[in-house]
């Protein structure tokens, strides 16, 4: 009986430790219908915002236990430009490397056990997005935006970002 209680206690503590580590990031998108450049179609726009949110949350898992990052994204300008004449049932983005680099504006608050330890606003951009090595596979959704976010995250929070793209 005592062994079962001890095992249950250890399992509970392990679960609590994991949930604290994964509590890492809360993402909010303010007025996404007014963003500079996201898909016009509501379903496509939701897919983009969900993918960005998942990426922020994945990075949040790299924070030390007890830290929570709250992000309020206020603008998104995706890499490339939509070309309606090439549309074949889905958005086609054309990238030329001139003035079509990815950009994002956000506010963030980093908390340690409920106390604010850092906060600020950030304007992310990657003007050389087509001229640098991108570890994300070419078929990875939002690969240029993710690399830009990775760079900001590493620079801002001093956390080494491991870039393992999905296939």
């Amino acid at each position: 009986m005592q062994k079962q209680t001890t095992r249950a206690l250890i399992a509970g503590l392990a679960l609590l430790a994991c949930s604290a580590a994964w509590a890492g990031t809360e993402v909010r998108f303010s007025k996404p219908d007014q963003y500079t450049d996201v898909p016009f179609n509501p379903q496509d726009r939701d897919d983009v915002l969900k993918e960005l949110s998942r990426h922020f949350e994945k990075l949040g898992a790299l924070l030390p236990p007890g830290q929570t990052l709250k992000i309020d994204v206020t603008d998104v300008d995706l890499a490339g430009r939509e070309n309606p004449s090439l549309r074949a049932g889905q958005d086609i983005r054309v990238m030329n490397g001139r003035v079509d680099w990815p950009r994002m504006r956000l506010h963030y608050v980093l908390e340690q056990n409920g106390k604010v330890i850092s906060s600020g606003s950030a304007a992310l951009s990657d003007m050389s997005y087509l001229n640098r090595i991108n570890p994300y596979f070419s078929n990875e959704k939002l690969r240029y935006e993710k690399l830009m976010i990775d760079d900001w995250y590493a620079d801002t929070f001093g956390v080494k970002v491991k870039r393992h793209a999905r296939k």
Side-chain angles (χ1 to χ4, degrees):
M1 180 76 159
Q2 189 174 5
K3 280 186 177 182
Q4 289 176 338
T5 305
T6 303
R7 285 185 194 152
L9 181 60
I10 291 171
L13 289 173
L15 183 61
L16 183 62
C18 288
S19 66
W22 285 97
T25 303
E26 298 171 20
V27 182
R28 192 173 78 105
F29 296 93
S30 297
K31 301 179 184 176
D33 54 327
Q34 296 177 12
Y35 286 176
T36 301
D37 180 26
V38 292
F40 178 74
N41 177 301
Q43 179 62 45
D44 293 341
R45 183 175 47 236
D46 285 348
D47 290 346
V48 164
L49 299 181
K50 285 177 187 172
E51 187 71 20
L52 289 171
S53 185
R54 278 191 295 268
H55 192 68
F56 278 117
E57 289 166 2
K58 182 184 87 168
L59 294 175
L62 302 173
L63 291 171
Q67 287 190 357
T68 301
L69 179 61
K70 296 177 182 177
I71 298 173
D72 182 16
V73 178
T74 58
D75 193 23
V76 174
D77 186 351
L78 299 175
R81 293 287 170 249
E82 285 185 355
N83 189 337
S85 66
L86 298 176
R87 186 172 287 193
Q90 64 181 23
D91 291 333
I92 302 293
R93 300 191 72 80
V94 177
M95 298 173 195
N96 63 26
R98 292 187 210 135
V99 294
D100 61 350
W101 60 84
R103 293 171 223 167
M104 184 179 294
R105 292 189 179 277
L106 56 85
H107 302 285
Y108 68 91
V109 175
L110 181 63
E111 296 178 350
Q112 173 78 41
N113 298 320
K115 289 185 173 182
V116 174
I117 58 172
S118 176
S119 66
S121 296
L124 289 59
S125 67
D126 186 358
M127 295 172 69
S128 60
Y129 77 101
L130 286 178
N131 298 322
R132 56 192 285 219
I133 295 172
N134 191 323
Y136 292 100
F137 293 114
S138 61
N139 63 348
E140 176 80 15
K141 291 180 183 177
L142 306 175
R143 67 189 293 242
Y144 301 109
E145 291 77 10
K146 288 177 180 178
L147 182 60
M148 175 183 70
I149 292 167
D150 290 354
D151 290 344
W152 168 76
Y153 193 88
D155 291 345
T156 304
F157 304 110
V159 177
K160 177 90 169 123
V161 176
K162 294 180 183 175
R163 295 180 177 118
H164 296 287
R166 294 182 320 208
K167 287 186 178 182

